[in-house]
Amino acid sequence: MTDLLVIGKVGKAHGLKGDVIVDLTTDRTERLAKGARVQLRGNWYTVASARPAGQHWLVHFEGVDDRNAAEVLGGAALYAEPL
């Protein structure tokens, strides 16, 4: 099994459709490309969309489709497999 790397942290939910604010701790922005897989709280998520928003990123994960689901992810470390 491959050790996962911490690539960022999820902040607050943004809006009503499940977007979250993400602070990347890596300069590899392709970690948030559409289709990229990341792990949060022990579960794997696929990036549906991501866009820069100032110093942060606004990210939507597949299956996280409302504010309540996004709020559950708040404060979680964001992990990914090494490239």
Side-chain angles (χ1 to χ4, degrees):
M1 180 173 163
T2 306
D3 292 328
L4 298 177
L5 302 172
V6 177
I7 62 164
K9 183 176 181 182
V10 177
K12 297 191 239 179
H14 179 79
L16 300 175
K17 297 184 179 179
D19 293 344
V20 292
I21 295 172
V22 171
D23 290 317
L24 278 183
T25 55
T26 177
D27 60 352
R28 307 289 301 260
T29 58
E30 66 269 22
R31 295 291 200 170
L32 295 178
K34 183 176 181 175
R37 286 179 13 107
V38 296
Q39 191 179 85
L40 298 158
R41 301 195 193 271
N43 296 310
W44 286 98
Y45 291 89
T46 302
V47 176
S49 65
R51 62 185 171 93
Q55 298 291 328
H56 314 285
W57 287 78
L58 285 178
V59 181
H60 187 87
F61 296 110
E62 291 180 8
V64 180
D65 296 322
D66 62 34
R67 185 173 183 90
N68 292 334
E71 286 176 344
V72 171
L73 302 178
L78 193 65
Y79 296 92
E81 294 176 339
L83 295 176

